[in-house]
Amino acid sequence: MDSRALFQTLHMLAEDNAAFFRDSTSETGQRFLAAFTTIREHARCLEPILGHFATINHLFDLDEQTPANGYRSLAQTVRCCLAHIIHKSRYVAANRRSIFFRTNHNCVELEAYCTALTQLRALVYLAQRLLTHNRPGYLFNHEERGLSEQFLREYITMQKGCFYGRCMGFQFAPSIRPFLQTIAISLVSFGENYKRHVSGIGVAASSLFTSGKFAIDPELRGMEFERITQNLDVHFWKSFWNLTEMELLASLASMASSQVRLSRALLVPPHSFDLPLVADPKLTVTITPPVAHTGPGPVQMRLISHELREGQDSEELMNLMRPEGTLALELLWKAKPLPRSPYLVVHFHGGGFVAQTSKSHEPYLKSWAQELGAPILSIDYSLAPEAPFPRALEECFYAYCWALKNCHLLGSTAQKVCLAGDSAGGNLCITVSMRAAAFGIKMPDGIMAAYPATLMQASASPSRLLTLLDPLLPLSVLVKCLSAYAGMEPEPPEDPTVEKLGPINMMYRDTALLFRNLRLSASSLFGSVVENVGKVNGSGGGTESMRKSISEVGLKSKLHGSFNESRKSQTCQDLSCSSDAPPDPAHDPVQKHQPGFFLNDGQQETATSSTHNGLTFPDGFQPIRSAQPATSLPLELSPIVRNPFMSPLLAPDAMLRGLPPVHIVACALDPMLDDSVMFARRLRAIGQPVTLRVVQDLPHGFLSLSQLCRETRQATSICTELIREILAPPDQDSPPPAAPTTSSSHRKHRKLERTLHTGPSTSQSTHHHSVPEDTTGTGQERSVGAASTESGIPSGPGVKMSTSSQHLRRGSGSSGGPPGKSKEMPTPPPGPALAVTPGQDSSPTSGTVGRGVGA
């Protein structure tokens, strides 16, 4: 996209407003002048860099039909910020002479976006440094301790609160921003009351009554959000993310979601069993229960089915059901069971490997069960840090094998099996398939991975620079989740001074604490209102009210000791890579040199400008530094993060060739976008069937927001379409039934024309009963047109999509989708050669910035 018109408009408006306020003698007028002057300077420096990015963006795409990578996403974010500034500048120019013009309010709004633009300029410089230091065509930095380490230093010291206050979620679709603001207010309120109470009801009640001050004071919310994300450990994030597991929220979500005939939790005992080998069904392999870290134990699952099917009412399955806290009236067994479905979906939920269960993902799983007509088995694997790698992988693999062995109990014949998962679950889908190929058992017919994490190292890449401003995936949180999954997160010691209370005494204590917090919250809210009134009237400008939360007080002593003297890092045992075949550095995009995104022992970072060992910015520029205490991030990681079963992007070609067709759905503004792009490029390079869909304007984790707005519903329908493609390719006569609403959801993407041309292509593979070889599939060339789109400042008509997959036009009532390549055992299927006539999906509006990542 040519951004010259965008910058010309910005320069014109900034010059006009600066000239108006240049003669103003008021303090607010001088602030306006300083803001517009700074904006002009930032725009002058950013314009040539973004122009250069536009000339090289295509070098990092999967193909020309899928314009998506971190450089495009960063440029899109900068243009979106500029568009918001243009919108505010136009408003100021049109209303600055009015007596109703809210001078102070508009000045604060403009200053907030000016601060955000300053930090984005720093990120653009960092991306430019990556571009010059990385190997050609590679998105991840390959240096052992180079730019990645320096970028972490910059992240620690750069101010991030500006992105969590007035500018919260400016880069996402307008319908998403209110939800993100609600999440931010809930998080800072929860953090202020974290560890004040033992029971969750006390924390929730106190958070509710303390949230008012964060709702009316965006600056305070931004400072507190930054403090919490930098300082609190993974146990806080586990507690906050697990709020979706509360009975009240789970019941509300269940009522709003599709209704199913069966949603039951299962507890599978840890018993060994045998499965036949694909190469020789007369030979079997023994599947043993998971044993890592905690020894043999049962595996928890959830079976979801829209209709009652044969086997789901059996006594054997009833004996596996585990009780749940929710009370529900079910009339399941009075209906006559339907025949077993030939399809089965095995699902692994997301949550950073540390939080959530199938219960919090149940709303969209119910929709899948209804639209696909297939039973869904969602695995509740053990979570870190209590059960680090490889416990989750072992449980998911055991559950997959158990589902193949006992599919008759699940209401399925398992003729077609699809693995589906999001985020951490997408990682598990890939690694479970790699392990199944190593064992030589039946492979899944395909994988649907939504925004998967394929490189479990906090390595520097253009998209991961967006962790500075992403409200759902800050870098410090990603690092803590990664450390927990790698076994680096220390267990919190129990406080011996805490008295063990019984239920009655706990109720008395929580009641007293609740009333105390009500009084303190009312006082704090009244004080903040009075203080804001004083600021508007011009009083109290010389002092700043600093409110210390429990997150700061609780960590004050630990941080003081950690950052004033040398600190030894927490390390785990030196574990070697468990793969039999080491990755091939010649073909692996990031394995040759492992980037370490962590500081050395004894190295400390201050809030001053870059030292002689750090980064230097051109033109004497320096980003705004944070006033928050420096964060304590893990300094070292175990070599286990290089294990291909933990970081599939580092797997050798031989292991990746054993994967079934992989369908990836990524978000253009997701910090994990480069994980999806680079993994798809690796599969494409070795001829493996892979598709990549990229949705616009949505954050990481949109599946959990599937019912929030039109954009998330459309993105979720893409995932459903891909699963349907795996279960019933278009050449089959009996596709899974689709709900009536499915066709309407696909009509929203009717501009993507779909035609199909097939040609025979086969590939052969052999297996041995002891050391099976990897299954090799023949790659397919895919092409679909996707044009870059432009839209206005905050508005977007829906989810815009970039794709490298094929599309098949369906008639009314059919349940096709983009045709994929499914794998039948024991031999891979023929791979049709497909060609698609592209259709343009371009809808320019009167805006000045391109919202699409392909811009």
Side-chain angles (χ1 to χ4, degrees), residues 238-280:
K238 178 191 286 283
S239 301
F240 179 72
W241 289 335
N242 282 338
L243 289 178
T244 55
E245 309 287 332
M246 294 177 58
E247 296 298 334
L248 177 60
L249 295 180
S251 299
L252 293 176
S254 178
M255 289 187 293
S257 60
S258 302
Q259 298 303 311
V260 295
R261 299 297 299 271
L262 181 67
S263 178
R264 284 296 184 89
L266 306 179
L267 192 66
V268 177
H271 300 320
S272 299
F273 54 88
D274 294 333
L275 282 181
L277 294 178
V278 172
D280 187 354

Side-chain angles (χ1 to χ4, degrees), residues 699-727:
H700 184 92
F702 66 79
L703 275 177
S704 298
L705 314 176
S706 58
Q707 300 302 317
L708 182 64
C709 59
R710 182 185 61 177
E711 290 85 353
T712 56
R713 287 193 293 270
Q714 291 178 351
T716 303
S717 69
I718 296 174
C719 300
T720 310
E721 178 184 352
L722 292 175
I723 299 176
R724 181 181 294 112
E725 170 189 343
I726 295 172
L727 296 178

Side-chain angles (χ1 to χ4, degrees), residues 401-634:
C401 297
W402 182 89
L404 296 180
K405 180 75 171 180
N406 300 275
C407 59
H408 61 284
L409 301 178
L410 307 177
S412 171
T413 60
Q415 297 177 16
K416 290 285 185 177
V417 181
C418 172
L419 295 187
D422 66 308
S423 190
N427 175 286
L428 291 171
C429 288
I430 299 170
T431 54
V432 165
S433 299
M434 291 166 56
R435 192 165 188 179
F439 272 71
I441 62 175
K442 172 181 170 63
M443 294 286 291
D445 295 277
I447 296 173
M448 196 291 294
Y451 37 88
T454 61
L455 181 62
M456 298 302 294
Q457 301 180 87
S459 303
S461 81
S463 72
R464 292 193 177 187
L465 295 178
L466 297 177
T467 54
L468 185 79
L469 62 151
D470 195 290
L472 299 180
L473 283 179
L475 178 60
S476 56
V477 179
L478 286 177
V479 171
K480 291 165 186 173
C481 294
L482 169 64
S483 301
Y485 187 53
M488 300 288 297
E489 185 70 18
E491 290 291 334
E494 293 186 0
D495 189 354
T497 62
V498 176
E499 181 184 359
K500 301 294 183 178
L501 299 179
I504 302 299
N505 292 331
M506 184 177 295
M507 183 185 66
Y508 289 154
R509 184 209 53 195
D510 285 345
T511 303
L513 290 174
L514 176 60
F515 281 107
R516 185 200 66 178
N517 284 318
L518 287 176
R519 176 176 53 82
L520 293 177
S521 301
S523 176
S524 176
L525 179 60
F526 178 76
S528 62
V529 172
V530 172
E531 180 182 338
N532 287 335
V533 173
K535 289 181 180 180
V536 173
N537 294 332
S539 62
T543 60
E544 180 181 3
S545 175
M546 297 299 296
R547 309 171 183 87
K548 292 187 177 181
S549 68
I550 189 65
S551 61
E552 180 184 10
V553 175
L555 293 164
K556 182 177 180 181
S557 59
K558 180 175 72 173
L559 290 173
H560 180 77
S562 299
F563 287 89
N564 284 281
E565 57 186 30
S566 178
R567 175 182 179 271
K568 288 295 181 180
S569 64
Q570 292 286 341
T571 58
C572 67
Q573 296 179 353
D574 187 11
L575 301 177
S576 60
C577 181
S578 63
S579 62
D580 296 331
D584 184 6
H587 297 86
D588 185 67
V590 290
Q591 176 66 20
K592 185 174 181 180
H593 299 286
Q594 291 298 329
F597 211 68
F598 303 95
L599 297 175
N600 292 321
D601 289 344
Q603 288 183 337
Q604 306 303 328
E605 186 61 50
T606 62
T608 61
S609 61
S610 299
T611 64
H612 64 282
N613 291 326
L615 294 173
T616 56
F617 295 95
D619 303 325
F621 168 80
Q622 280 296 324
I624 302 175
R625 301 298 175 180
S626 175
Q628 304 294 339
T631 184
S632 175
L633 293 180

Side-chain angles (χ1 to χ4, degrees), residues 817-829:
K821 180 179 178 182
S822 62
K823 179 173 290 187
E824 287 284 342
M825 291 302 170
T827 59

Side-chain angles (χ1 to χ4, degrees), residues 70-259:
Y71 292 108
R72 293 183 184 272
S73 300
L74 183 58
Q76 174 187 345
T77 304
V78 174
R79 289 195 298 267
C80 186
C81 183
L82 294 175
H84 280 276
I85 294 176
I86 289 175
H87 176 72
K88 179 56 65 176
S89 300
R90 284 174 173 164
Y91 179 84
V92 172
N95 298 275
R96 61 197 179 194
R97 301 179 187 273
S98 173
I99 60 174
F100 300 104
F101 181 61
R102 300 168 61 190
T103 307
N104 186 70
H105 169 78
N106 288 281
C107 183
V108 172
E109 289 275 345
L110 188 66
E111 289 174 337
Y113 278 100
C114 181
T115 302
L117 186 62
T118 303
Q119 306 303 78
L120 286 175
R121 180 182 172 186
L123 294 185
V124 170
Y125 283 143
L126 297 179
Q128 192 178 31
R129 185 71 64 88
L130 270 177
L131 186 62
T132 58
H133 282 73
N134 285 359
R135 289 179 288 175
Y138 290 82
L139 292 171
F140 289 99
N141 184 250
H142 64 278
E143 297 179 359
E144 183 70 23
R145 285 195 178 275
L147 286 179
S148 296
E149 178 182 312
Q150 297 173 7
F151 288 169
L152 180 64
R153 297 178 182 178
E154 293 297 327
Y155 175 86
I156 290 175
T157 61
M158 287 176 62
Q159 179 188 353
K160 298 166 279 291
C162 60
F163 296 111
Y164 308 137
R166 297 181 185 270
C167 302
M168 167 69 72
F170 71 89
Q171 70 271 34
F172 298 118
S175 55
I176 299 292
R177 295 171 200 158
F179 169 79
L180 295 178
Q181 292 174 357
T182 303
I183 290 295
I185 294 172
S186 303
L187 187 143
V188 295
S189 302
F190 186 83
E192 190 173 51
N193 296 277
Y194 182 59
K195 292 186 177 179
R196 283 184 175 176
H197 309 275
V198 176
S199 64
I201 187 173
V203 177
S206 299
S207 301
L208 178 64
F209 289 103
T210 58
S211 60
K213 60 182 179 181
F214 300 115
I216 65 177
D217 192 343
E219 282 71 30
L220 175 63
R221 180 178 71 224
M223 289 190 303
E224 185 68 9
F225 196 105
E226 180 180 358
R227 181 185 297 115
I228 288 174
T229 55
Q230 291 204 154
N231 293 329
L232 289 183
D233 58 16
V234 71
H235 300 280
F236 166 79
W237 295 100
K238 178 191 286 283
S239 301
F240 179 72
W241 289 335
N242 282 338
L243 289 178
T244 55
E245 309 287 332
M246 294 177 58
E247 296 298 334
L248 177 60
L249 295 180
S251 299
L252 293 176
S254 178
M255 289 187 293
S257 60
S258 302
Q259 298 303 311

